[in-house]
Amino acid sequence: MMTQFALEEQAKHLAKLFNNAEIEINGTIEAVTLTSSREGSKVRVFIDIPRGMVGRVTKRIIKDATGQVCWSDPPGKFSIDMPDADVRTEIPIQATWKEVAAT
């Protein structure tokens, strides 16, 4: 079984992987601000959508420093109608060890 220390180390690497974010709003991809925090083996990723980006957000996309997509919402799983206000969405990620039965 993976130790808590190992899980926390994995979470550190995961938090460092995330570099920038984009959203799909009204069918257009737009760059937005990305921040993250880590507590133990839990990483919290925040996407800040500024006031003025009014419309329907249908996807959040996180990329690494090379521009490769690390994470995105599955098609049809995320939808938010943006008011004319600043909005922060959170993506919580918990590093866990999953045991599977040998077959």
Side-chain angles (χ1 to χ4, degrees), residues 5-73:
F5 171 77
L7 289 171
E8 290 176 12
E9 288 298 306
Q10 290 291 1
K12 279 185 202 176
H13 292 293
L14 185 60
K16 290 178 185 176
L17 175 68
F18 303 141
N19 189 274
N20 58 57
E22 298 174 341
I23 58 168
E24 182 178 52
I25 184 166
N26 301 326
T28 304
I29 302 294
E30 299 284 343
V32 291
T33 304
L34 172 82
T35 56
S36 66
S37 68
R38 186 186 62 82
E39 295 175 22
S41 61
K42 184 174 184 175
V43 177
R44 297 171 63 194
V45 178
F46 301 100
I47 296 177
D48 295 314
I49 307 168
R51 169 178 300 220
M53 289 188 153
V54 178
R56 178 166 290 209
V57 177
T58 53
K59 185 181 274 191
R60 300 167 294 177
I61 304 163
I62 300 173
K63 294 184 176 182
D64 68 8
T66 66
Q68 294 292 317
V69 174
C70 305
W71 182 91
S72 70
D73 288 300

